[in-house]
Amino acid sequence: MAAAAALGCRAPCRTGWLPTLQIVRHAKSVTRHWKAMHFERQKLMAVTEYIAPKPAVPEKCIAPRIKAVEEENGYAKLLRLQVAETFRDSKMIAVCQHNFTPSEEMLLMKHRLRKHNIHVKFFPNEIVRPYLSVSKYKNLLPLFVGYNLMLVSPEIKVKEMLRILKNVPQINLLGACIDNTILSNQGVINYSKLPTVEITQGQVVGTLSLMASQTCGLLQHSSVHLTALLDQYIKQQSGGAGEADGKAGEGQAELGPAKSSAGL
């Protein structure tokens, strides 16, 4: 039947007869090819594009950012208090660069320094730098780079500190703050060569007493000299009067025998 129908389709169709099976091939048009928009239409679309109006108040002002407040660690608070107490109670604060040092040498250095009431302090830079930036010691900030340690003491003992640090080459002195004065490494060495306060005070007292004695001597010189001149004048006057009286007595004695001889 199918073959007959196919053959019947190929043969010319008779009038008034319809084939039982017809094969029709439908062609579908391709519409997916991209085509550029016309230039005039592009301009029209650009002009008529919708632009949303901007709000009168920025969104940042309407809804401010919420910053998460981080609570400070309790250990950090304790270190901050210790740093403030150290800088407040110490007259000598030396900043040193700490290289690798054996534990035995470090313990020996601490023991020698503690004999002179000098203590070794370790504080992280994250704790020290914020304190220095708002204090009067802010010029010490360039020294706190890397791993540092501080030698602090309520007394000024620079000579003892330098003598002990000479035996520990791993610890290098960077600078110090002595009696509210910031000094470099060379400045600390020059400060150690100065005499002690007691010797300086004695020298100042001796200089002042010498000046006072010289001033007193200059003020009394004229009066003493005048007194000596008056004493000499009085002695001269008294000596001249005695000589005149002696000469008068001798003249009278000579005249007396002459008168007696004349009367005889």
Side-chain angles (χ1 to χ4, degrees):
M1 289 296 292
L7 292 172
C9 290
R10 292 177 183 175
C13 296
R14 300 176 183 178
T15 306
W17 180 85
L18 296 175
T20 57
L21 181 63
Q22 293 182 358
I23 297 174
V24 181
R25 184 177 180 182
H26 298 280
K28 187 176 181 181
S29 60
V30 179
T31 59
R32 295 184 178 179
H33 294 293
W34 178 82
K35 185 178 181 180
M37 190 182 297
H38 194 267
F39 181 68
E40 296 292 338
R41 187 175 180 183
Q42 289 182 8
K43 292 195 295 183
L44 181 63
M45 294 295 292
V47 171
T48 58
E49 185 180 1
Y50 175 74
I51 300 177
K54 296 182 179 180
V57 182
E59 296 182 359
K60 295 180 180 180
C61 298
I62 297 174
R65 296 180 182 179
I66 300 174
K67 296 182 180 180
V69 179
E70 297 181 358
E71 294 184 0
E72 190 177 8
N73 190 11
Y75 182 65
K77 290 182 180 179
L78 178 61
L79 290 178
R80 204 178 301 277
L81 292 176
Q82 289 180 356
V83 168
E85 183 180 358
T86 300
F87 277 89
R88 184 179 64 251
D89 299 338
S90 301
K91 291 184 178 180
M92 184 184 71
I93 303 171
V95 183
C96 302
Q97 182 183 3
H98 182 208
N99 301 316
F100 174 74
T101 307
S103 58
E104 296 180 358
E105 293 185 6
M106 180 60 68
L107 290 175
L108 183 60
M109 184 193 72
K110 289 182 179 179
H111 178 68
R112 290 176 178 175
L113 290 172
R114 196 176 295 112
K115 288 182 178 179
H116 302 284
N117 198 14
I118 302 174
H119 304 279
V120 181
K121 299 289 184 179
F122 294 93
F123 294 111
N125 294 337
E126 294 79 8
I127 301 297
V128 180
R129 292 182 67 88
Y131 173 78
L132 294 178
S133 60
V134 296
S135 65
K136 62 181 179 180
Y137 305 101
K138 59 184 178 181
N139 291 331
L140 290 173
L141 279 173
L143 302 181
F144 287 89
V145 178
Y147 191 50
N148 301 327
L149 61 87
M150 294 192 302
L151 305 179
V152 298
S153 175
E155 302 175 1
I156 301 175
K157 295 185 177 181
V158 182
K159 294 182 180 179
E160 294 81 357
M161 180 185 68
L162 293 178
R163 186 174 65 252
I164 295 172
L165 289 180
K166 284 182 180 179
N167 301 325
V168 188
Q170 295 86 353
I171 296 179
N172 303 320
L173 180 64
L174 301 178
C177 180
I178 300 174
D179 201 8
N180 295 329
T181 303
I182 297 176
L183 302 174
S184 62
N185 185 10
Q186 188 63 35
V188 175
I189 295 174
N190 295 336
Y191 186 89
S192 64
K193 297 178 182 178
L194 296 175
T196 60
V197 179
E198 292 77 9
I199 296 175
T200 306
Q201 289 177 352
Q203 292 177 355
V204 172
V205 171
T207 304
L208 293 176
S209 61
L210 177 62
M211 296 297 294
S213 62
Q214 289 180 354
T215 304
C216 183
L218 291 174
L219 293 175
Q220 294 178 356
H221 177 69
S222 58
S223 60
V224 171
H225 185 62
L226 179 60
T227 304
L229 291 176
L230 292 176
D231 292 341
Q232 186 67 24
Y233 179 74
I234 292 171
K235 290 179 180 179
Q236 291 179 356
Q237 293 294 329
S238 61
E243 292 178 357
D245 293 340
K247 290 179 179 180
E250 291 178 356
Q252 290 178 1
E254 291 177 356
L255 292 172
K259 289 180 180 179
S260 60
S261 59
L264 293 173

